[in-house]
Amino acid sequence: MIPLLLSALLLPTPAAAQVDTGQLPASWRDETSAQRDARMAWWNAARFGMFVHWGPVALTGHEIGWSRGTQTPAAEYDALAARWNPAAFDADAWAQLAADAGMKYLVITTKHHDGFSLWDSAVSEHDLAATPFDRDLLAELAAACEARGVRFCTYYSLADWYHPDYAPQNMKQGGSGYALADGREPDMDRYLIFLKAQLAELVERYGTALFWFDGEWEAPWSIERGEDLRDFLWRLDPALIVNNRIGKGRSMDGGPLGPGDYDTPEQRIGAFRTEQRWETCMTIARQWAWKPDDPVKSLRECLRGLIRCAAGDGNFLFNIGPMADGAVEPEQAARLREMGAWLKENGDTIYGTRGGPWQCGEWGGATWRGDRVWLHLFDPSGPVLLPAFGQRIVSAELRGGGALEWNQDESGRVRLVVPESARSPIDTIVELRLEAPFHEFAAPGGPLSALEADPRFGQWISREASFFASSTSQWDPRDRHPLLLDPSPSNPEFVFHTDIEESPWIVIDLGAEFRLGGVAIDGRPGWPQRMEGLKVALSIDGVRWEPAWTADEARDRWELPLIGFEQTAATHGPTARYLRIGTAPAEPAPFHLRFVRVYGVLAE
């Protein structure tokens, strides 16, 4: 309800910090890296959290916020609150599910873009008090989480398509839910008073440890407003953690965080990155809010998503959408408990670890803590060859037992062979014990391919090359194009794509004639259809082309030897300066490439 004018609102007295971080500075701008590490320590160690998207919209089975004014007329959407009574809501059951799943924190949508507040707010009438439900569900959930060692955290949208002071209003989503008094114009400063009052309530009443902001992309939000809000929250509780969406112009893969603490790649696994914190948020099904018959991801997809986040030095915030009555879909709950069972056996390889020393990818990844490194191998069907990483290995053991063939040569490179009987269908774990604690991320890339490991294929010759393409997408950031030929540990999983074409292609200019040994072509992981009809042609002059190879199936990764072997000696490979790599999709489509490496030696 609204018992007083917003202009006369008195904010509550700030609470004590939720985390003991020692003496923090007066402003977040003056925080040292050591102080930030202390403030973020629990989040860094957690690795796995539960995201919950829930509200009256569950009555429709449509998406939260986004279905307002589209699938459901705005007035009808806003009126859902009056008949929403989640009588089956059980805070203890939710918190226990999170704990059973091995999740260390829980983030719930306290206000999405639709403007509905999931608690009885002193500054809003569009809130839980407007429903038939007469309990304080956030208080119950916060207490249940605390009792089980799960951190209670809150999602809050900076955008508000219901509030009339939020301007300019998003008319596509139905416009504001009620009109201002006669003669009054929308006023963002007045909206910010409302917003800050609600955030203070969430801190004061429920002790939230983290704010997961959203909605900053819309025109009303600005860099200045984000920094002002961070100032306010720092005064309220300097121990609070906030995501990058408090700022403006979010970056998902290593861009400036502004006043936020970590990046938030959405519905995809973030890039391997150890210099900046990040967290992937992803749905367990397809929709964020509850949807009937929404297919749940397999245990393999769920666990590998978690593993790749930890191996990439990030967190995994995994979303469920409870039903309208407050119960969790049995299939979603069962999948989370399966994840928890795996973590009971293998959580030591996830919690409190860092990602690396090798870059994660489709092969799996690695995590480490102290003098232990855990390899997470997704498909160790052949020898695994790892580049040197500045440490000697004392021992290597398969989790669960089994004979492991391994060695580390004088250069530091590691070779492992896992017997078929010891391979796991989801994740084969190898524990490496080092001669000393590991401290530095010294190994670029992931496992060595056959082209990299065998010197007979030649050197990597395309790093200094250039390329041009049949087209480039307007959504493809051009400053990342060079990473196509010179990937690095900070290379995101998606680097380059053309526009939709019948026969898209790229041409690589090596700058001189080389005798070629092989080509490694990586597409977008999990999108083999974007490599359909892959073909490679070679040229000396860039005009006359000779076909070199055509794929017989669609894959997202290829290694193409262009030479043969007679006993131990390599036969001569083709000579070329230019390579043209293209696709021939059945229907017009973009060409997705993550990186290309060409191997060979300078032609004599």
Side-chain angles (χ1 to χ4, degrees), residues 115-410:
F116 177 80
S117 300
L118 204 60
W119 76 101
D120 181 5
S121 173
V123 293
S124 177
E125 292 180 346
H126 191 46
D127 62 7
L128 192 66
T131 74
F133 191 74
D134 61 357
R135 289 154 43 200
D136 189 340
L137 63 86
L138 290 188
E140 293 178 16
L141 187 57
C145 285
E146 183 178 9
R148 290 160 179 82
V150 177
R151 297 266 181 175
F152 178 74
C153 308
T154 48
Y155 167 109
Y156 187 94
S157 176
L158 303 169
D160 193 323
W161 299 333
Y162 180 86
H163 200 293
D165 274 323
Y166 178 78
Q169 295 170 1
N170 190 327
M171 301 309 296
K172 180 182 178 181
Q173 304 298 154
S176 64
Y178 65 98
L180 291 166
D182 291 344
R184 298 180 73 183
E185 296 293 328
D187 185 338
M188 272 297 291
D189 288 338
R190 201 161 51 227
Y191 172 71
L192 288 173
I193 295 174
F194 159 83
L195 180 149
K196 290 178 180 178
Q198 287 210 314
L199 298 181
E201 290 177 352
L202 291 172
V203 173
E204 290 292 332
R205 295 188 195 175
Y206 309 114
T208 184
L210 176 152
F211 276 117
W212 209 102
F213 290 112
D214 199 8
E216 85 298 340
W217 71 86
E218 289 206 315
W221 202 248
S222 66
I223 294 173
E224 293 75 20
R225 285 181 173 132
E227 292 179 348
D228 172 73
L229 183 57
R230 191 68 180 100
D231 289 336
F232 170 79
L233 293 174
W234 192 268
R235 293 192 299 270
L236 195 63
D237 181 354
L240 282 168
I241 293 172
V242 298
N243 67 350
N244 63 331
R245 303 188 191 192
I246 191 176
K248 186 73 174 179
R250 76 177 82 160
S251 171
M252 301 305 186
D253 282 302
L257 289 174
D261 291 315
Y262 61 93
D263 278 344
T264 51
E266 184 171 322
Q267 293 287 44
R268 63 179 178 82
I269 305 301
F272 179 87
R273 197 166 65 251
T274 60
E275 75 284 357
Q276 188 161 290
R277 296 173 178 89
W278 60 272
E279 171 196 75
T280 280
C281 57
M282 186 176 288
T283 53
I284 195 170
R286 292 181 179 173
Q287 187 167 280
W288 294 100
W290 178 78
K291 178 182 179 180
D293 302 317
D294 202 5
V296 174
K297 289 179 173 65
S298 67
L299 179 61
R300 172 189 172 114
E301 289 179 281
C302 295
L303 283 176
R304 288 190 173 183
L306 169 62
I307 293 163
R308 286 194 61 185
C309 284
D313 212 35
N315 283 15
F316 191 44
L317 186 62
F318 208 30
N319 181 80
I320 61 169
M323 295 181 287
D325 65 357
V328 177
E329 279 273 12
E331 188 178 2
Q332 294 188 18
R335 183 69 75 247
L336 292 184
R337 291 192 177 97
E338 287 177 327
M339 296 181 75
W342 183 89
L343 282 164
K344 283 182 180 178
E345 298 295 324
N346 304 296
D348 60 318
T349 73
I350 301 294
Y351 303 126
T353 64
R354 299 295 307 273
W358 298 284
Q359 182 180 352
C360 56
E362 290 301 295
W363 68 278
T367 56
W368 64 273
R369 181 177 56 248
D371 64 352
R372 297 292 192 276
V373 174
W374 293 278
L375 297 176
H376 295 268
L377 306 176
F378 292 165
D379 182 24
S381 54
V384 178
L385 305 171
L386 297 168
F389 65 112
Q391 289 271 30
R392 300 302 298 181
I393 298 171
V394 175
S395 65
E397 296 181 357
L398 278 164
R399 177 147 296 193
L404 174 70
E405 178 186 330
W406 74 278
N407 71 280
Q408 185 178 27
D409 65 23
E410 292 182 0

